[in-house]
Amino acid sequence: MQQNIVFSEKALELQAIARKIADEHVRPNAAKYDKAQEYNFEAARAVASAGLFKTFIPKEYGGHGAGVLALALVAEELAKADSGFGVAFAVNALGSFPIILGGTEEQKQRWLPKIANGEKFVAFCLSEKFAGSDASGLAVRAVEDGDHWVINGEKKWTTNGGVADYYTVFCVTDPTSKSRRISAILVEKGTPGFSIKKVEDKMGIRCVPVVETHFENVRVPKSNLIGERPGVGFKHAMQTLDYARPGVAAQAVGASQGALDLANVYSNRRVQFGVPISQHQMVMKMLADMAMKTEASRQLVYAAAAGIDEHGPSPTNSKAAAMAKCFATDVAMEVATDAVQVFGGYGFMEDYPIAKFFRDAKILQIYEGTNQVQRIVIARHLIREAAELEHLKQYIPVEEQNHYGAGVTTG
Ligand code: CAA
C-alpha cells in the first residue's frame, strides 16, 4: 500500500477544534460520565455547535466534505481524552455512511443536513444476538405492505441507541435470495413499535449507550428504504464498515496516545529507588515501545483514511481499513495494559484515570468487526492477490510426491 497522506487546511482546523473541545468538555468530565454511565450531552452540544458533525458529511448536504482522514483526526483527539466519547462521536459517521454511500439524492437531502448540524444523531443497527461476525446471517425481517415496510425483530449492541434519532436498520427483505437478501431501512425514533428494551451495563465506553433495539410491526414509508431498490443492503453494510473502520482505528490511536501521555507524566513524577521510574531501563523500554507502536498505528490509519478519500470504495481500501483497524486496536489494548503496569498498584485503582483507558480499550478489538474478522478480510485479499504473483512460482522448487510401497499393506 503506497499512499500520499495530505492534510487539508480544513482537516487541520477541525483537528484543532476537536482538541480544544476534548480539553475543555471531554477530559474534565470523563470519569464522572464513566461512573454514572451517562451520555455527555454537554460535550456533544459543543461538538455540534463547533460544526464537527459536518466533518464527514459532503458539502452538498450541509457538511464540510472533509473526508475520512479528517474524521480520523477528530476521532483521535476526542478519544485521547475519553475513548467512550470518541465512539459517541464517530458512530454518527458509521450510521451516516449507508446514506452517503447508498442513499438516493432525495434521501441525502432529507437526512444528511440535519446530521451535519447536530440536530439528529444516528445509530447503525446491523448486529443481532445470533448474527455478530456472521453479519449476513441477520434475521430482522421487513415485509412490504402497500406504501410501507413493516419491520419485526430485534437488534443487539446498538451503540448510541436511545440518544440517536435516526437508525439505519439492516433487514431481510428477500429471504429467498442469497445475494440480494438484505436491505437498509432508516427508522426514526418515536416510530410506533420501535423501542429500546435493554440498556447494557458495560465494562468500558460507559458514557455512550449500547442497547437492544426492538421492532414490533414498525411501519416505515417505502421512501425510507436506503437506495433505489431493495437487496443491496449487505454490500452497503460492508462498504460502510470499510469507510468507518479507519475511524475506529483512529479512536484506538487516540486511546493509545492518551494512555501513553498519562504513563509518561506519571513515570516522571513517581520516584522509586531514589529516581523517577522513567529512569529505570525496563520502564524506558515500555514507554519507548508504547510510543513506537502508537506512531506506527497512526501512520497506518492516516494512510487507510487518505486512500478512501482519494479512491473511494475499493478492494485495496477494504484491506487497508481492516489492517488499520486490527493493528491500531491491538496496539491500543497493549499500550493501555502497559500504561497500567507503569502506574503499578495505583493503575489498578479507579481513582486514577488509567484504569478507564484499560477498560475502554477492550471493545476496540471487538466492535466494527472483531480483529479475527479483520484478519479474515486481510487474508482473503492476500489470497486474491496471489493470482498476480504467478511470476514468483518459478523461484519456488516443486517437490514430487513418491508413493513408495503403493498397494503393500502393513500390519
Ligand atoms: N465491499 C463491497 N462488497 C463486499 C465487501 C466490501 N468490503 N465485502 C463483501 N462484499 C460483498 C461480496 O462481494 C459478496 O457479494 P456477492 O454476493 O455479490 O458475491 C457479498 O458481499 C458477500 O461477501 P462474503 O462472501 O465475503 O461475505 P461473508 O458472509 O463471508 O462475510 C465478513 C464476510 C467479512 C465476515 C462480514 O460478514 C463482516 O464484515 N462481518 C463483521 C461484521 C461487523 O463488522 N459487525 C460490526 C457491527 S457494527 C458495530 O460494531 C458498531 C458499533 O457498535 C459501534
Side-chain angles (χ1 to χ4, degrees), residues 139-161:
V140 164
R141 184 79 166 91
V143 177
E144 283 180 280
D145 183 18
D147 287 343
H148 288 77
W149 288 98
V150 181
I151 307 174
N152 276 289
E154 59 189 69
K155 291 286 178 182
K156 189 83 179 160
W157 305 299
T158 304
T159 306
N160 229 15

Side-chain angles (χ1 to χ4, degrees), residues 241-398:
L241 289 164
D242 289 346
Y243 268 60
R245 283 173 181 155
V248 187
Q251 289 164 45
V253 173
S256 298
Q257 190 65 56
L260 169 61
D261 289 349
L262 286 169
N264 192 8
V265 170
Y266 181 76
S267 66
N268 281 291
R269 192 180 79 184
R270 172 76 168 163
V271 173
Q272 290 289 279
F273 305 102
V275 291
I277 60 170
S278 62
Q279 303 294 318
H280 295 303
Q281 287 189 350
M282 277 192 264
V283 175
M284 291 172 103
K285 180 197 180 289
M286 284 169 82
L287 292 168
D289 284 351
M290 289 154 81
M292 277 191 290
K293 289 176 186 174
T294 301
E295 197 51 42
S297 302
R298 180 175 283 120
Q299 298 307 321
L300 193 55
V301 173
Y302 291 173
I308 290 173
D309 287 340
E310 198 174 331
H311 304 290
S314 77
T316 307
N317 289 336
S318 178
K319 185 175 92 175
M323 283 178 160
K325 194 275 178 186
C326 188
F327 187 81
T329 61
D330 279 351
V331 164
M333 191 70 245
E334 197 182 324
V335 167
T337 306
D338 284 350
V340 170
Q341 194 71 17
V342 169
F343 274 77
Y346 292 113
F348 199 65
M349 304 303 152
E350 284 292 343
D351 44 2
Y352 277 67
I354 204 66
K356 176 177 175 303
F357 274 86
F358 179 85
R359 289 188 285 101
D360 286 349
K362 188 61 213 172
I363 190 63
L364 291 163
Q365 295 177 299
I366 299 171
Y367 64 20
E368 294 196 34
T370 63
N371 285 1
Q372 286 73 19
V373 161
Q374 308 308 322
R375 288 177 167 95
I376 290 172
V377 171
I378 296 162
R380 283 183 179 175
H381 282 288
L382 288 175
I383 291 164
R384 268 178 234 126
E385 287 164 18
E388 288 154 33
L389 299 171
E390 288 286 311
H391 60 286
L392 294 179
K393 271 190 172 171
Q394 60 183 307
Y395 299 106
I396 305 174
V398 179

Side-chain angles (χ1 to χ4, degrees), residues 166-328:
Y166 293 156
Y167 296 78
T168 43
V169 184
F170 291 83
C171 310
V172 177
T173 45
D174 183 356
T176 61
S177 168
K178 191 172 178 298
S179 59
R180 304 184 62 80
R181 204 174 150 257
I182 294 166
S183 306
I185 299 177
L186 191 136
V187 176
E188 293 202 35
K189 188 183 201 167
T191 308
F194 171 58
S195 62
I196 308 292
K197 283 267 164 71
K198 184 182 180 207
V199 180
E200 305 287 354
D201 183 10
K202 309 183 294 303
M203 173 198 288
I205 60 158
R206 289 165 58 87
C207 75
V208 59
V210 172
V211 307
E212 279 180 12
T213 41
H214 286 236
F215 304 83
E216 284 165 48
N217 293 320
V218 175
R219 291 179 70 81
V220 183
K222 276 201 168 155
S223 59
N224 279 26
L225 181 126
I226 298 175
E228 300 281 356
R229 57 187 197 284
V232 284
F234 191 70
K235 184 174 164 230
H236 286 158
M238 292 298 106
Q239 286 180 342
T240 289
L241 289 164
D242 289 346
Y243 268 60
R245 283 173 181 155
V248 187
Q251 289 164 45
V253 173
S256 298
Q257 190 65 56
L260 169 61
D261 289 349
L262 286 169
N264 192 8
V265 170
Y266 181 76
S267 66
N268 281 291
R269 192 180 79 184
R270 172 76 168 163
V271 173
Q272 290 289 279
F273 305 102
V275 291
I277 60 170
S278 62
Q279 303 294 318
H280 295 303
Q281 287 189 350
M282 277 192 264
V283 175
M284 291 172 103
K285 180 197 180 289
M286 284 169 82
L287 292 168
D289 284 351
M290 289 154 81
M292 277 191 290
K293 289 176 186 174
T294 301
E295 197 51 42
S297 302
R298 180 175 283 120
Q299 298 307 321
L300 193 55
V301 173
Y302 291 173
I308 290 173
D309 287 340
E310 198 174 331
H311 304 290
S314 77
T316 307
N317 289 336
S318 178
K319 185 175 92 175
M323 283 178 160
K325 194 275 178 186
C326 188
F327 187 81

